[in-house]
Structure formats: C-alpha cells, structure tokens
Amino acid sequence: MNPALRARLGRVGLNAAGIVVFLAAIFPVFWMVSTSFKSEADISSLELRPLPTEPTLEHFAGIFTEGVAGHSIWLYLGNSLIVALSTVVVGAVLALLASVAVARFKFRFRATFLVLLLIVQMVPAEALGISLFLMAKRAGLYNEILGLVVINVGLTLPFAIWMLRNFVAAVPRELEEAAAIDGATRFRTFWQVLFPLVAPGLVATSIFSFIAAWNEFFFALVLMQDDTKYTMPIALRYFFGRNTTDWGSIMAASTVMTIPVVIFFLLVQRRMVSGLVAGAVKG
Amino acid sequence: MTTTTSRQAHASDGGRKAGGSKRGLRPANPRSALNPRYLPYGLLLPAMIVIGGLLLYPLVQMIQMSFQKVGLREIRGYPAESVGVGNYQKIVESDLFWAALRNTVIFALIAVTLTLVIGTLVGLLLNKLGKKMSTLVVIGSMLAWATPAISSAIIFRWLFDDRNGVANWVLNLLPDFLSQALFGRSDWSGFVWFLEPAPLYTVLILCVVWQSFPFIAVSVLAGLKSISSALYEAARVDGATAWRIFWKITFPLLRPVFSVLLVLSIIWDFKVFTQLHTLAGGVATRDAFNLSLYSYAEAFSAPPKMGIGSAIAVVLTLILLAVTFVYVRQMVRQEELR
C-alpha cells in the first residue's frame, strides 16, 4: 500500500472512531429527549422508533400542570433554584476571602490549611450524612431549605477555594503594588484592581458550585420531609418511584432538570478540568 | 517554582510596608483585623468556621457515634451510651457488610479500570483528530459528563427497561448462538435487570463509566498538548510503534496526571450512591448494597441504627483517606502548595 493511501485510510479510521465515540456519548441524552416528545404508542411500540412519529408536548404539559410529586414541577425547579443560588452567593464570598488569604499572604498554617482543604474534599459526603442529619435536627434545620443551603455551602466550599486561589494567584502582584504606591487603601486595591481581574474566575467557580448544589441528592433525600420542600432531584426520584411506567413524563421531567446544568457546564468545562488536575498537568 | 517563591516573599514584604506607613494619616492599629499580620487569618476565618463546623466536626462526631448506640431515643436528644467496639463487631459478623464491601471494591476496580482505559483512548483520539471533529466529540462527551447523576440513573433504568428498553431490543437482535455463548441466554424479551446484583451492577458500571470517561479524556488531552511533538517525531523516525510510543513517552511524561486521575476516579467510584439508590430502587435489594448505601440503610431505615451506620461510614472513610494520602503527597511533592 502506498503511503498516501495509507495516511488517508488512517484518517478515515480516526474520524470513524470519533463518530462512534460521539454517538455513544450522546445516545442516552438523545434517548431521554426523544422519549419526552413521544406518544404512548411510540414508547410502547414493539419496533424501535428512535424519533417520535407524532411528536407531542403532552408529557411536558403534564409535569407543569398535574405535577410530579404532588405539585407542579415549577415548585421543585424553584426550590432547587433557591438552594443553588443561595449556596453560590454565600459560597462565593467565603471562597473569595479565603482564596485571597491563601494566594496573597504568607502566614503560619498556610500549608496546613491547604493540605486540610485537599483532605476534606476526599471525605465522602455520604459518610458525614448521619452527623449532619443530627446536627440539622438539633438546630431546627431539618426539613428546612435553609438547612440544605448551609450543608451545600459546606460541601462546595473546599473545591471553590481550591479553584479560585489559582485565579487570584494568576493576577500579577505588580498591579496591586502600583495601586498601593499611588496611595490606594488595601480595600480599594482589592475592590478596584484585584476583584475585576478575578471576576471571571469567580463566575466559573460559582457555576461549578451551582451545578453541585443543583444536582445534590443525598442530603436533600435525608433532610427534606414535606413534598412542598423537595428539590428537583428528589422530586424526580419520587416521581420515578411512583410512576415507573410513565416513561414519557419521567423523561420530560428529567430533561427539564438536565438542560440548565448542561448549558452551564459547557460554559465552564475548561476551567473545571484545570481546577481538578491543577499542578499535575503543569508538571 | 523558586522564582515564584522569592517573588512572593518580596511582595509580601512590600505589602507589609505599605500597610504600616503608606497610609500615613491613620497608623494601623496593631490589634485591628486589618493589620496585615492578622489580615489573612481574618479572611480565612469565615471559611474555617464553615469547614470546621460542617466537615471536621461531623467527622469527629461520626467517629464518636461509631462507638455508641444511637437509635430513636438518642435522636430525640437523650445522651448516647457507649457500646465500645460493639458496632464494629456487629458489622464484621454480618454477611451483609462483607457483601457490601465486596460489591464496593469489585465495582470500583471494574469501573475505574474501564473509565481510565476508555478515557485515555478517547483522549489520545481527540489529540489526533482534526479541529472540527475533535470539537464535535468534546461537545458530545460534555453532554454525558454534565448530565446530573439522578437523571443519568433514571435514563439507564429506561434504556434497560424490561418491556420497552432499547437494551433488550438490541440484545434480541444478536444471533441466538452468539448471545447464548456470551451471556447464556438468547431471549431477552422481558429480562429484568434490576433484581439481581450482577445485572444491576452491569448497568451501574455502564452508567458510571459513561458519565466519567469524558473527564479523563479531556484531562489526558490537556496533558498531551503539553508534550513536545519533537519527542514523537524522533520516536517515529526510529520506527517505534504506537503502543511503544505510548508506554515509553506518553505514559512516563503524563504519570502525574494519571496518578491524580486514578485517585480521583477511585474516590468517586468508591462512594457512588445516587445512581445505585435509583437503579436498585431504594434499599430493598439488600445484597446489592455498597458501603454507602448500606450505611444509609442502617442509619435511616426504621428502626434507625445510626451507631452502626457510622461504623460503616468510618470504614468507608478510612479506605478513602488511605487512597487520598497518595494524592495529597503527590500534590505536595509537586509544590502545588507554594
């Protein structure tokens, strides 16, 4: 075989492999979205129908009007949004302060704090579930959305600090020194010089925390008792448990929950990778 | 690394001077929280309170409870009695614990291996593909990665549904002799995947690997981009095969990346909860428990046995911290903490 033909065949093979990976990766999501638009006849048909033959919105209409766990899916989307946004706002402030301390100052216990951060990220949240459940119960936060917010802040904070400190460290110190020489106070230097430059990193970190809080399952399962206080994952789990055969509606609810996360995810994926394997890649 | 360190030292000296005299009019109060000596502690304090109160204290409490009897009475606020190592004794004597430990370890071994192998292959592929094609594959992988755990578990329940699932339909297309040879059955119509641990875990592995290979692929790709192409050209001129190039050049250079990815994957796969809870339909299928579901079942089913649940959680945490130790040492060795 001549080299040119061989190179071309190699290229075709690689592209074919690429298409196979692409199809395998999107298939489950495709199937979820496709099912959510299918009529009952398509869903229970004995032959395989990848696409809805007569697309319908009845499943979406159903989850918004009749609801999923006794109430419209709006309620659960709202609960999840409250939990995720509160987690993000509180977490962002705490993470920003801590990451400035870690990236801009030298002090005793600095290395200790960083090692601690690494270690607590590795403790399985599920293992802390029992203690946190009892603490929430004693603090009157059982079955309260506030309790879920507090726990989500705790769960997302270590990684948020870990990620954000890289962004703070990337801002050249000379800028702040120049501002200080010009007589700016520490606060002004922070607010007018450092903060605008760290803002993109703060957005990325916040989106990460948002996704984590939006998807959080375990603590919402353990803490939320009233069906009016369920977050989206628990409502979906409950709905699925009750209507195991109504796949059209289950997939519609699942689609509604998944879309916001996917959009956010595509915005930050690059930074998430660098946050998780920071150092290892830089060598 | 050394240059950064000296620059930092220099800059914080500068900062101290600026804080002390530059502000001129108002000399810094040495006890004020804004005094640069105390400022970092002030900035860290809120985060430390959260981490201490929500992660470290519960960790201590979990260890303490693992030596106590914590049932309904204690949940209502009565002081808990110590039972010594009674809880540990009970779980070690229970068949359920050993089944859960076995499920946890076997699942992690298979899922981690598959995730790393597939993820690395896709990463290598992405590095070879043209720009358009690789963007397409990355976006597809992102979809899998971004899907919430609960959604993905429910999707896989649907794909493997006994009556209308795609999986049984596709398996029925296989020629009977092949299906018989591979799986020991030729008729898949109505096959239920979620009653026995073996088929249940097969679906769980597919579900978890599908969601976690993209992270490995993208990380490996990021690593590959950092390797100089001159190395590969030299190897190719010498006539090395792709297999040899991977093991002699790529793998040694990306060893730090691989070890971090290995540890992260082990940590994620050891404690998988959401997907198993959903696929197994709660805590009914007891012989399909892994350690986190077992701990949850003991602690939160009636009657609650939170002491025993904590003991199981301690075992899980100890296993994970042993693995984490390697990760932390790796990070410290790379001076990532400077």
Side-chain angles (χ1 to χ4, degrees), chain B:
Chain B
M1 272 303 159
T2 41
T3 52
T4 356
T5 329
S6 63
R7 207 178 72 193
Q8 270 173 358
H10 166 76
S12 56
D13 281 342
R16 209 162 287 154
K17 267 179 227 142
S21 61
K22 273 277 172 192
R23 262 187 277 149
L25 293 173
R26 190 164 46 87
N29 177 354
R31 283 174 179 264
S32 153
L34 285 176
N35 181 316
R37 269 185 64 191
Y38 300 116
L39 189 56
Y41 298 102
L43 293 172
L44 270 189
L45 191 64
M48 269 320 289
I49 292 174
V50 169
I51 292 172
L54 292 171
L55 298 170
L56 297 179
Y57 173 72
L59 198 62
V60 174
Q61 208 192 20
M62 169 184 81
I63 297 168
Q64 201 182 4
M65 276 195 299
S66 74
F67 296 105
Q68 293 172 333
K69 178 182 180 295
V70 186
L72 267 182
R73 258 171 61 90
E74 289 75 14
I75 295 173
R76 284 202 209 102
Y78 288 93
E81 269 173 47
S82 167
V83 291
V85 292
N87 291 331
Y88 290 97
Q89 215 157 12
K90 261 185 207 153
I91 58 171
V92 172
E93 282 164 11
S94 137
D95 292 341
L96 218 49
F97 170 76
W98 294 106
L101 184 64
R102 194 195 55 215
N103 287 344
T104 308
V105 172
I106 294 179
F107 167 75
L109 272 179
I110 299 178
V112 168
T113 311
L114 283 178
T115 311
L116 285 178
V117 170
I118 296 175
T120 306
L121 287 175
V122 174
L124 291 168
L125 178 69
L126 284 171
N127 198 34
K128 296 232 162 173
L129 286 175
K131 202 169 164 46
K132 271 186 204 153
M133 199 62 197
S134 86
T135 311
L136 187 75
V137 176
V138 166
I139 288 178
S141 311
M142 286 303 142
L143 270 182
W145 186 3
T147 307
I150 177 75
S151 304
S152 73
I154 290 180
I155 296 171
F156 274 77
R157 263 304 277 244
W158 170 220
L159 293 175
F160 286 84
D161 185 51
D162 47 323
R163 285 193 301 163
N164 301 116
V166 187
N168 282 353
W169 188 87
V170 170
L171 285 167
N172 263 337
L173 290 185
L174 289 179
D176 281 358
F177 75 91
L178 188 65
S179 178
Q180 194 75 42
L182 286 175
F183 310 105
R185 66 183 300 136
S186 53
D187 181 20
W188 291 89
S189 316
F191 178 74
V192 183
W193 289 84
F194 303 102
L195 290 178
E196 297 290 323
L200 175 65
Y201 270 86
T202 309
V203 180
L204 183 67
I205 287 168
L206 288 174
C207 178
V208 168
V209 170
W210 171 68
Q211 278 209 287
S212 33
F213 88 85
F215 170 65
I216 310 290
V218 177
S219 306
V220 168
L221 178 66
L224 287 172
K225 295 241 151 116
S226 71
I227 300 179
S228 152
S229 57
L231 282 173
Y232 290 111
E233 271 154 38
R236 228 166 279 134
V237 169
D238 290 348
T241 59
W243 177 259
R244 226 180 124 73
I245 290 177
F246 179 80
W247 289 110
K248 293 287 170 190
I249 300 179
T250 313
F251 186 75
L253 282 172
L254 294 188
R255 190 184 286 276
V257 180
F258 280 116
S259 58
V260 170
L261 293 177
L262 175 69
V263 172
L264 286 174
S265 301
I266 292 176
I267 287 164
W268 289 331
D269 290 350
F270 247 90
K271 56 175 191 180
V272 56
F273 178 86
T274 309
Q275 292 95 330
L276 182 60
H277 184 272
T278 307
L279 290 179
V283 294
T285 321
R286 294 169 74 87
D287 45 359
F289 282 174
N290 67 0
L291 288 176
S292 21
L293 194 58
Y294 181 33
S295 161
Y296 166 83
E298 289 291 336
F300 294 102
S301 315
K305 286 177 264 178
M306 299 206 157
I308 294 187
S310 299
I312 301 163
V314 167
V315 173
L316 175 63
T317 309
L318 284 178
I319 298 176
L320 283 178
L321 285 182
V323 180
T324 309
F325 178 73
V326 182
Y327 176 69
V328 173
R329 218 178 43 182
Q330 170 98 30
M331 289 296 228
V332 174
R333 200 184 286 156
Q334 276 159 3
E335 301 180 73
E336 172 62 9
L337 299 179
R338 294 282 159 87

Side-chain angles (χ1 to χ4, degrees), chain A residues 19 25 31 35 110 122 131 165, chain B residues 58 133 158 210 324 336-337:
Chain A
I19 287 171
W31 203 249
T35 305
R110 185 177 162 277
M122 304 311 153
S131 319
R165 84 193 175 95
Chain B
M133 199 62 197
W158 170 220
W210 171 68
T324 309
E336 172 62 9
L337 299 179

Side-chain angles (χ1 to χ4, degrees), chain A residues 168-236:
Chain A
V168 177
V171 176
R173 262 161 208 282
E174 287 73 14
L175 292 175
E176 286 153 79
E177 286 171 283
I181 288 165
D182 288 348
T185 60
R186 258 174 194 283
F187 180 74
R188 212 171 144 203
T189 310
F190 166 77
W191 192 243
Q192 296 196 333
V193 179
L194 186 61
F195 183 76
L197 291 168
V198 176
L202 195 60
V203 171
T205 312
S206 298
I207 292 179
F208 164 77
S209 301
F210 183 95
I211 294 173
W214 180 266
N215 292 353
E216 203 286 320
F217 179 78
F218 183 82
F219 288 98
L221 179 72
V222 167
L223 284 184
M224 294 296 131
Q225 199 65 46
D226 292 350
D227 57 13
T228 53
K229 291 180 179 167
Y230 285 172
T231 54
M232 231 0 251
I234 304 306
L236 189 58

